[in-house]
Amino acid sequence: LRGQPAACLACEVTETTATITAFGYAVWSCVLRGRAVDGSVDFKAEEGDDMTPAMALSVRKADPNERWGGFIAQVGENSIVY
């Protein structure tokens, strides 16, 4: 994502995946370790050091008592889950 302006980034979350888009195109995605509530994403992107955007992502768990043991289970090939 180096070189992309923070203002062009967005995040979409399904129950099991998170996808970062730049100018509406998927540029990075992952499989989550647990189930999230659809549409519960709180996403913030800011300009970071060395032209690398700094992003913060928060989602609500489908089961609040479940422990995920991390956030990402798997990153897709070439950073995109197909």
Side-chain angles (χ1 to χ4, degrees):
L1 298 175
R2 182 180 302 268
Q4 301 298 326
C8 81
L9 301 176
C11 183
E12 298 176 25
V13 174
T14 68
E15 284 186 347
T16 57
T17 64
T19 301
I20 304 291
T21 62
F23 296 106
Y25 292 95
V27 293
W28 186 91
S29 62
C30 71
V31 177
L32 304 176
R33 286 192 177 266
R35 293 203 174 272
V37 175
D38 250 351
S40 68
V41 66
D42 182 22
F43 176 76
K44 181 177 162 183
E46 298 177 338
E47 299 299 336
D49 297 333
D50 293 335
M51 296 178 55
T52 304
M55 295 173 282
L57 174 68
S58 175
V59 297
R60 213 167 66 231
K61 295 178 183 177
D63 177 0
N65 297 317
E66 181 184 9
R67 295 199 50 119
W68 286 9
F71 188 71
I72 298 171
Q74 177 183 353
V75 175
E77 181 178 332
N78 296 323
S79 299
I80 302 290
V81 175
Y82 292 100

